[in-house]
Amino acid sequence: MNALEIQNFTKFYSDKKAVDNLSLTISKGEFFGLLGQNGAGKTTTINCITGIGQFSQGTIKVFGNDVQTDYQLTRKEVGLSPQEFNVDMFAPIQRILDYIGGYFGMNKKERTDRINELFDLLGLTEHKDKTFRELSGGFKRRLILARAMMHNPDILILDEPTAGIDVRQRRELWNTLKELHKKGKTIILTSHYLEEVEFLCSRVAIMHEGKLISTLNKKEFTQNGKSLEETFLRLTQ
Ligand SMILES: Nc1ncnc2c1ncn2[C@@H]1O[C@H](COP(=O)(O)OP(=O)(O)O)[C@@H](O)[C@H]1O
Ligand SMILES: [Mg+2]
């Protein structure tokens, strides 16, 4: 089954074409890397998958449902960890999760149980009474991941989830993501750390100036002893 089907998707900001006729299909259960230099159109695409961005050309479907006409349905299937922290820095972290649980119609008990479960899973329990700004960078990222997972979506979209965090915390996050993938989540990741993508993803798409220029599976992106980084640099010059 396809988790995501993007067909002939084009997105303009005024007269700037940010994404140009993108077609891409991702199967359920894939750990997929969306790559491209800054400005390639990754975040724009992600925002349109998750309903944050509007578009008028092409279609995007999540588990067969159109993200524009069946927004309520598709929103439930997707959890987004956005590139920029879009939270109230002063809010207690439990309230941040509780609020999003309420948005998805969970009752108080469901919300409390889920928060405890996620804190446990993501190693946040000892920080549970902190506000967002009191967390270190790696734990901020974890909290944002917890928020994305609050309603237990099947698809997780992680837009540069390891940007600006230290090596150890990055490795810990990798392990967490591997575990989530093993449990059946479909994961779509953007990252500039290509060794991270190589380690985690089984397939990648490379975007360049709004266009899809290549999709590669693991065998292809490590072919002839070349690293993904070398392949990426060659394709995007
Ligand atoms: N809100 C916006 N208004 C105008 N232009 C934008 C906006 N967001 C992104 N862009 C432009 O669209 C292009 C794609 O950006 P983006 O999707 O953020 O790329 P990426 O995530 O791959 O770095 C860039 O040229 C960027 O400057
Ligand atoms: Mg981006």
Side-chain angles (χ1 to χ4, degrees):
M1 189 200 293
N2 291 331
L4 181 70
E5 279 169 41
I6 302 176
Q7 272 179 347
N8 305 109
F9 163 62
T10 295
K11 165 76 181 175
F12 284 89
Y13 294 107
S14 323
D15 51 5
K16 156 92 194 163
K17 199 187 267 187
V19 179
D20 186 358
N21 200 31
L22 174 68
S23 294
L24 181 66
T25 300
I26 297 175
S27 303
K28 182 172 163 61
E30 279 200 90
F31 203 137
F32 192 89
L34 187 57
L35 310 184
Q37 294 163 345
N38 287 327
K42 306 178 297 293
T43 297
T44 298
T45 303
I46 286 170
N47 286 347
C48 291
I49 297 169
T50 52
I52 296 167
Q54 304 299 311
F55 59 99
S56 55
Q57 291 182 41
T59 55
I60 302 180
K61 289 183 179 173
V62 169
F63 292 119
N65 297 308
D66 188 293
V67 299
Q68 296 199 106
T69 55
D70 298 319
Y71 173 74
Q72 304 270 5
L73 268 179
T74 59
R75 187 68 190 82
K76 284 197 184 128
E77 308 278 9
V78 182
L80 170 67
S81 165
Q83 185 174 350
E84 310 288 345
F85 294 135
N86 55 346
V87 295
D88 175 0
M89 290 280 166
F90 296 92
I93 59 174
Q94 294 193 46
R95 200 201 297 155
I96 294 171
L97 299 190
D98 192 65
Y99 177 82
I100 209 80
Y103 174 85
F104 283 104
M106 298 164 74
N107 69 32
K108 184 70 194 163
K109 174 157 190 335
E110 287 170 333
R111 302 200 301 267
T112 306
D113 289 351
R114 183 67 175 152
I115 289 170
N116 290 332
E117 187 185 358
L118 287 170
F119 278 1
D120 190 37
L121 179 76
L122 297 174
L124 280 159
T125 306
E126 65 176 293
H127 303 289
K128 70 182 172 50
D129 295 318
K130 291 186 175 167
T131 59
F132 187 77
R133 71 173 187 144
E134 288 171 311
L135 298 175
S136 69
F139 284 105
K140 282 194 175 83
R141 279 287 167 202
R142 279 167 183 267
L143 195 274
I144 296 294
L145 180 59
R147 188 184 61 172
M149 292 173 63
M150 187 65 192
H151 60 298
N152 202 15
D154 277 328
I155 304 174
L156 287 173
I157 302 185
L158 313 171
D159 198 355
E160 301 197 28
T162 58
I165 70 173
D166 70 40
V167 175
R168 187 173 310 277
Q169 291 193 325
R170 174 170 305 144
R171 298 248 162 201
E172 286 170 4
L173 201 61
W174 290 1
N175 291 335
T176 304
L177 296 179
K178 281 237 171 191
E179 284 301 312
L180 290 171
H181 180 240
K182 257 195 227 150
K183 287 182 191 155
K185 298 287 182 207
T186 304
I187 303 181
I188 301 170
L189 170 78
T190 84
S191 174
H192 293 296
Y193 301 103
L194 296 189
E195 86 282 7
E196 163 173 308
V197 175
E198 221 169 78
F199 179 70
L200 292 171
C201 299
S202 50
R203 205 157 66 92
V204 302
I206 300 176
M207 293 181 71
H208 189 58
E209 295 172 354
K211 291 192 173 76
L212 176 67
I213 56 167
S214 187
T215 52
L216 304 165
N217 62 34
K218 196 150 202 141
K219 271 202 188 115
E220 291 166 325
F221 64 67
T222 53
Q223 230 170 24
N224 313 321
K226 292 255 189 295
S227 66
L228 178 57
E229 187 159 300
E230 287 170 289
T231 306
F232 178 84
L233 288 171
R234 178 170 54 79
L235 291 170
T236 56
Q237 32 184 290

